[in-house]
Amino acid sequence: MTRTQTVSTQALPALHPVRTLMEEHRFILESLHALDSFLHRLEGRRGFSEMGDDLEVLKGIAHHLVDAESHHDREEEVLFPRMEAHGAVDLPARMKADHVTFRAKKRRLYQIAQAGATGDFAAFAAEVSQIGAFLVRELTTH
């Protein structure tokens, strides 16, 4: 297989671990796309009263991202040991370190979303924008 070819999840048995990981990647990317869309809408808001249903949207996205932590656990428990057994140790080590950062950022986004429309909107928007942009940028390329 060349670098430009991709494996279709349809070509793998339903319970194949690689198929599971690929489907989870797709779900995570969909959540990141939704987060990116939310962040663009947030830019035009000046207060919680202008958010409408978007606060609930953020809660859902944050929930999905935190819920996807089991994906990173599976990578660390199943995929990385196989890579390391074949001599690839640097990449799994870097990815494990990334996972620690991702977990902290996702959990903070979840906390902010669950707190809801309280406090200073400008501080809320700034922190959500900073964390959200980081997650979209870094998880998309992870």
Side-chain angles (χ1 to χ4, degrees):
M1 180 180 308
T2 67
R3 293 174 124 179
T4 57
Q5 292 175 317
T6 59
V7 176
S8 167
T9 59
Q10 309 308 323
L12 298 168
L15 298 177
H16 194 283
V18 172
R19 182 175 182 162
T20 300
L21 289 170
M22 289 172 68
E23 289 174 355
E24 289 171 347
H25 276 151
R26 183 181 48 77
F27 179 76
I28 292 167
L29 289 173
E30 289 170 3
S31 296
L32 293 170
H33 177 72
L35 178 57
D36 192 45
S37 294
F38 169 85
L39 294 173
H40 288 295
R41 292 190 306 276
L42 183 62
E43 287 176 11
R45 306 291 197 262
R46 287 175 268 144
F48 289 113
S49 62
E50 294 181 9
M51 290 191 66
D53 292 336
D54 267 345
L55 191 55
E56 291 303 313
V57 169
L58 178 61
K59 288 179 183 181
I61 293 167
H63 172 78
H64 289 307
L65 290 174
V66 168
D67 201 39
E69 288 181 10
S70 59
H71 168 79
H72 295 282
D73 293 340
R74 273 189 283 287
E75 285 181 336
E76 292 174 10
E77 294 167 4
V78 177
L79 183 61
F80 294 174
R82 302 245 353 195
M83 292 171 69
E84 291 163 346
H86 291 281
V89 293
D90 291 339
L91 181 60
R94 283 196 309 269
M95 290 178 75
K96 284 179 191 176
D98 287 347
H99 290 174
V100 171
T101 303
F102 296 155
R103 282 183 184 103
K105 297 279 187 187
K106 290 186 292 183
R107 289 176 183 162
R108 179 62 186 143
L109 184 66
Y110 182 82
Q111 290 172 339
I112 296 167
Q114 292 305 311
T118 60
D120 177 28
F121 179 79
F124 164 87
E127 189 171 11
V128 167
S129 294
Q130 183 271 327
I131 293 170
F134 174 86
L135 290 171
V136 168
R137 181 182 63 249
E138 298 300 323
L139 276 172
T140 300
T141 60
H142 180 74

